Amino acid sequence: MSISRTTEIKSSSPVSFDDAIKKGIARAEKTLKNVRGAWIENQEILIGENGKISEYRVQMRITFLLLED
């Protein structure tokens, strides 16, 4: 029997949603062991004063194993 847990992470990037996701997962792997998956719950952008996108943000849930048979 395996036991897993899910935690919520918010991450951002000035480049893209893909980059924000990669940064969030990389950060999660520094403190969580056995990261197994991620679900993107929400995406948003910030618009700068010049009318262009200044930041991409993602809210995701990361699943990791606590105990594995």
Side-chain angles (χ1 to χ4, degrees):
M1 176 174 85
S2 297
I3 299 174
S4 65
R5 184 173 171 110
T6 302
T7 189
E8 187 172 307
I9 294 197
K10 293 182 180 181
S11 181
S12 64
S13 168
V15 178
S16 67
F17 286 122
D18 186 57
D19 190 50
I21 291 167
K22 288 177 182 176
K23 286 182 177 182
I25 291 171
R27 177 60 181 96
E29 287 181 329
K30 287 184 179 180
T31 55
L32 302 173
K33 293 181 182 179
N34 301 315
V35 173
R36 293 293 185 239
W39 172 56
I40 308 307
E41 187 171 23
N42 190 23
Q43 296 179 325
E44 64 180 289
I45 57 170
L46 292 181
I47 307 292
E49 290 182 22
N50 59 4
K52 297 190 180 207
I53 297 172
S54 62
E55 189 172 61
Y56 298 84
R57 293 181 177 176
V58 294
Q59 179 179 348
M60 64 181 113
R61 295 185 184 266
I62 304 283
T63 302
F64 59 100
L65 292 179
L66 293 174
L67 179 66
E68 185 174 16
D69 276 347

